[in-house]
Amino acid sequence: MVSRKLTKSIAAGVAAIAIAGASYGIVSATSSGSSAAASGGTAGGGTAGGGGPAGGPGSGGGSNARSGPAAGGSSGTASGVSTSGFTLTTAAGQKVIVNEASATTYEKGTSAASASAVTTGEPVLVLGTTSGTTITATQVIVQPASSGSATSSAAKVVPFQRGAPATSKQVGQIPTNYTEGSGTIVSGASANKATEAALAAYPGGVVDRVVKLSNGEYEVHYIGVNWPHHIFVNQDFKVVGAD
């Protein structure tokens, strides 16, 4: 009897260990799978690639030029104005959420202004940190100065239509040996000037990053439209090409 009880106890203990081991294996596998999925989600370089809701395709190649959020901006007409921000509608119909903060600065034309200058129906230019189609504004310019190139290029922008194939064409000068994803993301005055130049020449989209290329020029990445997706700005901040 003692021997039989001992045998049963040993068998029960072995079964318990086996069950615990199997449970540990399942937990470990699940944990490893979750970690792998998380790593796989971030290894591609973040969400600033411009796909998703904004409609532009993501950049390929070097991860440095894919990370985000990054300096950018957009222009259009203000609506839904509140104490914390407003909605901007671009010339191509893209909706952009603009979040304002205590550090946001304002201009009306070329003069300093306050947040009250932003009213429904006003044309605005917004510069700041772009994440998808949301901009945390560092600067809001009401009634920005327009250029002749903006009017002539407006018809060339192809608005985003869900399900429509992306337009593929090149205009002007594309830097030699340019490849998507190359370059270094920049911020500050250079990014702002390149963003303003791109928006003036091709109004309607959202700039979600500005990349400095090896030749010293800038690639302004554009989302929210079916074309263009890349606008090229030279060292004098003049638009020289787009694709």
Side-chain angles (χ1 to χ4, degrees):
M1 290 294 291
V2 173
S3 177
R4 184 176 298 177
K5 288 182 179 180
L6 180 59
T7 301
K8 287 184 177 181
S9 298
I10 292 171
V14 169
I17 291 171
I19 292 170
S23 300
Y24 175 78
I26 292 170
V27 172
S28 297
T30 304
S31 178
S32 298
S34 300
S35 299
S39 298
T42 57
T47 58
S59 237
S63 61
N64 188 41
R66 287 169 58 93
S67 59
S74 190
S75 61
T77 304
S79 64
V81 179
S82 71
T83 55
S84 60
F86 57 92
T87 299
L88 181 153
T89 304
T90 73
Q94 176 68 55
K95 300 289 186 181
V96 181
I97 302 301
V98 179
N99 294 323
E100 299 168 286
S102 58
T104 305
T105 63
Y106 301 86
E107 292 181 18
K108 188 166 186 177
T110 58
S111 302
S114 65
S116 62
V118 182
T119 57
T120 297
E122 287 279 16
V124 294
L125 166 66
V126 178
L127 301 172
T129 301
T130 305
S131 178
T133 52
T134 298
I135 302 173
T136 300
T138 56
Q139 185 177 15
V140 178
I141 303 172
V142 181
Q143 298 177 349
S146 60
S147 66
S149 61
T151 302
S152 62
S153 298
K156 298 179 182 178
V157 172
V158 180
F160 171 67
Q161 292 183 337
R162 191 171 299 280
T167 300
S168 178
K169 63 178 178 178
Q170 293 186 353
V171 173
Q173 301 173 2
I174 308 300
T176 304
N177 300 324
Y178 167 72
T179 57
E180 290 187 73
S182 61
T184 303
I185 290 178
V186 295
S187 59
S190 294
N192 288 345
K193 288 179 181 179
T195 296
E196 289 188 65
L199 291 170
Y202 292 96
V206 181
V207 175
D208 73 341
R209 64 181 177 269
V210 177
V211 176
K212 188 170 186 178
L213 304 175
S214 59
N215 66 353
E217 295 186 347
Y218 300 90
E219 179 253 306
V220 178
H221 193 262
Y222 220 38
I223 62 174
V225 295
N226 269 359
W227 188 90
H229 297 305
H230 312 97
I231 301 171
F232 299 95
V233 178
N234 67 16
Q235 297 177 50
D236 295 323
F237 299 102
K238 303 294 184 184
V239 173
V240 295
D243 70 3

